[in-house]
Amino acid sequence: MKPMAMADKSDKSPKLPETNNPAPRRERGGWLSKIAPGVSKLVNRRETPENLWVKDPDSGDMIYRSDLEAAKWVTPNGRHMRIGPAQRMKYTFDGPTPDAPGVWETIALPEVPEDPLHFSDGKSYSEKLKIARAATGERDTMAGGYGQVQGVPCVVLVQDFAFMGGSLGMAAGEGFITAARFAIERKCPLVVFTAAGGARMQEGALSLMQMARTTLAIQELKKAQLPYLVVLTDPTTGGVTASYAMLGDIHLAEPGALICFAGPRVIESTASCRAASCRKSWAR
């Protein structure tokens, strides 16, 4: 066996010269390179909208956005998609003509102290409010309007799920009370479109107090003998279901809307924990 040193000397393969210069870039040639600049000037580039298609949550089919808007955000299967307060009021209130969008007077809702508990879970509550306001363009989850619905003057209050899950907090409670008292002043019905994932945990007990306060506002409507109508939209859960969402004189619900107190995941986890505790007790 030859030593390694002898093997190195026997290797007479030529070595390439070392260089730091990259390989020369190959220039495109031919007839295509000559006409490319002229063609690029003729082509009108248009950006494709990101939300051109919307997925049907029931069938999984893709629906053209303009067709869905023309159908007032109702899918071919009858599912009522989630919409914001402006669209909801535009579809609800009467317009100057039957085909025109609705016209209404915006009800100014009062402002409340922000972040009274100085809550933070890695991000401050104040910062989350700023993000939600920038995303939705709304001050909080409630938006109110006054106008005519089928020729009848009404106060309409819309709860926006896009704003922090439509959570019930001090601002939502004050908005409900303001809308109820506005309806009493105008002697007209109050119509509320509910959509919420529960109470706003960042406000603690102050959020839970709104369940009782909104209930008292409904009692004021009843004393004035004014109708209170509730339209349950997807989803209506938690403390909203346990208070003003179930105290209406008339209840309507959109097809396919999730209406419950605790969501499916909470129920599944609670049921599994109880089953596990029962198994342990039987084992003892």
Side-chain angles (χ1 to χ4, degrees), residues 49 55 61 85 98 108 127 176 190 219 226 230 249:
K55 186 176 181 180
D61 298 335
E127 185 65 24
F176 187 96
L190 172 63
Q219 295 303 316
L226 295 173
V230 180
D249 299 312

PDB file of all heavy atoms in Angstrom, residues 49 55 61 85 98 108 127 176 190 219 226 230 249:
ATOM      1  N   PRO A  49     -57.786  41.388  -8.022  1.00  0.00           N
ATOM      2  CA  PRO A  49     -58.260  41.557  -6.638  1.00  0.00           C
ATOM      3  C   PRO A  49     -58.034  40.295  -5.816  1.00  0.00           C
ATOM      4  O   PRO A  49     -58.174  39.171  -6.315  1.00  0.00           O
ATOM      5  CB  PRO A  49     -59.759  41.841  -6.827  1.00  0.00           C
ATOM      6  CG  PRO A  49     -59.895  42.302  -8.244  1.00  0.00           C
ATOM      7  CD  PRO A  49     -58.828  41.596  -9.020  1.00  0.00           C
ATOM      8  N   LYS A  55     -65.418  31.476  -0.795  1.00  0.00           N
ATOM      9  CA  LYS A  55     -65.721  30.056  -0.647  1.00  0.00           C
ATOM     10  C   LYS A  55     -67.024  29.854   0.108  1.00  0.00           C
ATOM     11  O   LYS A  55     -67.244  30.452   1.164  1.00  0.00           O
ATOM     12  CB  LYS A  55     -64.578  29.344   0.088  1.00  0.00           C
ATOM     13  CG  LYS A  55     -64.743  27.832   0.160  1.00  0.00           C
ATOM     14  CD  LYS A  55     -63.536  27.200   0.817  1.00  0.00           C
ATOM     15  CE  LYS A  55     -63.665  25.687   0.874  1.00  0.00           C
ATOM     16  NZ  LYS A  55     -62.487  25.064   1.520  1.00  0.00           N
ATOM     17  N   ASP A  61     -67.836  25.308  -2.713  1.00  0.00           N
ATOM     18  CA  ASP A  61     -67.727  25.905  -4.039  1.00  0.00           C
ATOM     19  C   ASP A  61     -67.241  27.343  -3.939  1.00  0.00           C
ATOM     20  O   ASP A  61     -67.473  28.027  -2.940  1.00  0.00           O
ATOM     21  CB  ASP A  61     -69.084  25.863  -4.760  1.00  0.00           C
ATOM     22  CG  ASP A  61     -69.570  24.441  -4.989  1.00  0.00           C
ATOM     23  OD1 ASP A  61     -68.721  23.531  -5.045  1.00  0.00           O
ATOM     24  OD2 ASP A  61     -70.799  24.239  -5.107  1.00  0.00           O
ATOM     25  N   PRO A  85     -71.801  46.243   9.769  1.00  0.00           N
ATOM     26  CA  PRO A  85     -72.949  47.108  10.072  1.00  0.00           C
ATOM     27  C   PRO A  85     -73.419  47.942   8.891  1.00  0.00           C
ATOM     28  O   PRO A  85     -74.625  48.096   8.677  1.00  0.00           O
ATOM     29  CB  PRO A  85     -72.422  48.001  11.198  1.00  0.00           C
ATOM     30  CG  PRO A  85     -71.292  47.244  11.802  1.00  0.00           C
ATOM     31  CD  PRO A  85     -70.676  46.477  10.689  1.00  0.00           C
ATOM     32  N   PRO A  98     -87.284  51.426  -4.538  1.00  0.00           N
ATOM     33  CA  PRO A  98     -87.172  50.022  -4.113  1.00  0.00           C
ATOM     34  C   PRO A  98     -85.819  49.385  -4.417  1.00  0.00           C
ATOM     35  O   PRO A  98     -85.367  48.504  -3.674  1.00  0.00           O
ATOM     36  CB  PRO A  98     -88.299  49.346  -4.897  1.00  0.00           C
ATOM     37  CG  PRO A  98     -89.293  50.429  -5.138  1.00  0.00           C
ATOM     38  CD  PRO A  98     -88.484  51.680  -5.341  1.00  0.00           C
ATOM     39  N   ALA A 108     -75.346  58.350  17.316  1.00  0.00           N
ATOM     40  CA  ALA A 108     -74.055  58.498  17.996  1.00  0.00           C
ATOM     41  C   ALA A 108     -74.073  57.731  19.307  1.00  0.00           C
ATOM     42  O   ALA A 108     -74.909  57.984  20.175  1.00  0.00           O
ATOM     43  CB  ALA A 108     -73.761  59.969  18.238  1.00  0.00           C
ATOM     44  N   GLU A 127     -53.911  48.250  22.833  1.00  0.00           N
ATOM     45  CA  GLU A 127     -53.330  47.974  21.525  1.00  0.00           C
ATOM     46  C   GLU A 127     -54.273  47.124  20.678  1.00  0.00           C
ATOM     47  O   GLU A 127     -54.412  47.344  19.467  1.00  0.00           O
ATOM     48  CB  GLU A 127     -51.982  47.269  21.699  1.00  0.00           C
ATOM     49  CG  GLU A 127     -51.234  47.031  20.395  1.00  0.00           C
ATOM     50  CD  GLU A 127     -50.809  48.329  19.729  1.00  0.00           C
ATOM     51  OE1 GLU A 127     -50.669  49.342  20.432  1.00  0.00           O
ATOM     52  OE2 GLU A 127     -50.622  48.311  18.495  1.00  0.00           O
ATOM     53  N   PHE A 176     -76.214  49.593  23.453  1.00  0.00           N
ATOM     54  CA  PHE A 176     -77.554  49.005  23.504  1.00  0.00           C
ATOM     55  C   PHE A 176     -78.507  49.915  24.272  1.00  0.00           C
ATOM     56  O   PHE A 176     -79.644  50.166  23.831  1.00  0.00           O
ATOM     57  CB  PHE A 176     -77.482  47.623  24.163  1.00  0.00           C
ATOM     58  CG  PHE A 176     -78.776  46.867  24.119  1.00  0.00           C
ATOM     59  CD1 PHE A 176     -78.999  45.933  23.119  1.00  0.00           C
ATOM     60  CD2 PHE A 176     -79.772  47.082  25.058  1.00  0.00           C
ATOM     61  CE1 PHE A 176     -80.200  45.236  23.059  1.00  0.00           C
ATOM     62  CE2 PHE A 176     -80.969  46.396  25.021  1.00  0.00           C
ATOM     63  CZ  PHE A 176     -81.185  45.461  24.002  1.00  0.00           C
ATOM     64  N   LEU A 190     -87.411  48.685  18.353  1.00  0.00           N
ATOM     65  CA  LEU A 190     -85.965  48.474  18.360  1.00  0.00           C
ATOM     66  C   LEU A 190     -85.679  47.112  17.748  1.00  0.00           C
ATOM     67  O   LEU A 190     -86.232  46.097  18.184  1.00  0.00           O
ATOM     68  CB  LEU A 190     -85.411  48.533  19.785  1.00  0.00           C
ATOM     69  CG  LEU A 190     -83.930  48.146  19.946  1.00  0.00           C
ATOM     70  CD1 LEU A 190     -83.028  49.123  19.193  1.00  0.00           C
ATOM     71  CD2 LEU A 190     -83.541  48.096  21.425  1.00  0.00           C
ATOM     72  N   GLN A 219     -86.608  46.231  29.670  1.00  0.00           N
ATOM     73  CA  GLN A 219     -87.780  46.453  30.502  1.00  0.00           C
ATOM     74  C   GLN A 219     -88.351  47.862  30.289  1.00  0.00           C
ATOM     75  O   GLN A 219     -89.570  48.060  30.338  1.00  0.00           O
ATOM     76  CB  GLN A 219     -87.421  46.244  31.976  1.00  0.00           C
ATOM     77  CG  GLN A 219     -87.018  44.818  32.327  1.00  0.00           C
ATOM     78  CD  GLN A 219     -88.106  43.810  31.971  1.00  0.00           C
ATOM     79  OE1 GLN A 219     -89.295  44.028  32.225  1.00  0.00           O
ATOM     80  NE2 GLN A 219     -87.690  42.696  31.376  1.00  0.00           N
ATOM     81  N   LEU A 226     -93.310  49.257  23.448  1.00  0.00           N
ATOM     82  CA  LEU A 226     -92.671  49.310  22.135  1.00  0.00           C
ATOM     83  C   LEU A 226     -92.103  47.935  21.791  1.00  0.00           C
ATOM     84  O   LEU A 226     -91.525  47.259  22.648  1.00  0.00           O
ATOM     85  CB  LEU A 226     -91.550  50.349  22.129  1.00  0.00           C
ATOM     86  CG  LEU A 226     -92.004  51.800  22.320  1.00  0.00           C
ATOM     87  CD1 LEU A 226     -90.791  52.714  22.476  1.00  0.00           C
ATOM     88  CD2 LEU A 226     -92.864  52.261  21.149  1.00  0.00           C
ATOM     89  N   VAL A 230     -85.451  40.743  17.702  1.00  0.00           N
ATOM     90  CA  VAL A 230     -84.075  40.241  17.690  1.00  0.00           C
ATOM     91  C   VAL A 230     -83.874  39.374  16.457  1.00  0.00           C
ATOM     92  O   VAL A 230     -84.661  38.461  16.193  1.00  0.00           O
ATOM     93  CB  VAL A 230     -83.763  39.417  18.959  1.00  0.00           C
ATOM     94  CG1 VAL A 230     -82.327  38.909  18.915  1.00  0.00           C
ATOM     95  CG2 VAL A 230     -83.987  40.258  20.200  1.00  0.00           C
ATOM     96  N   ASP A 249     -89.458  40.301  21.783  1.00  0.00           N
ATOM     97  CA  ASP A 249     -90.869  39.969  21.563  1.00  0.00           C
ATOM     98  C   ASP A 249     -91.012  39.037  20.363  1.00  0.00           C
ATOM     99  O   ASP A 249     -91.887  38.173  20.335  1.00  0.00           O
ATOM    100  CB  ASP A 249     -91.678  41.249  21.332  1.00  0.00           C
ATOM    101  CG  ASP A 249     -91.622  42.176  22.532  1.00  0.00           C
ATOM    102  OD1 ASP A 249     -91.832  41.695  23.659  1.00  0.00           O
ATOM    103  OD2 ASP A 249     -91.362  43.380  22.352  1.00  0.00           O
TER     104      ASP A 249
END
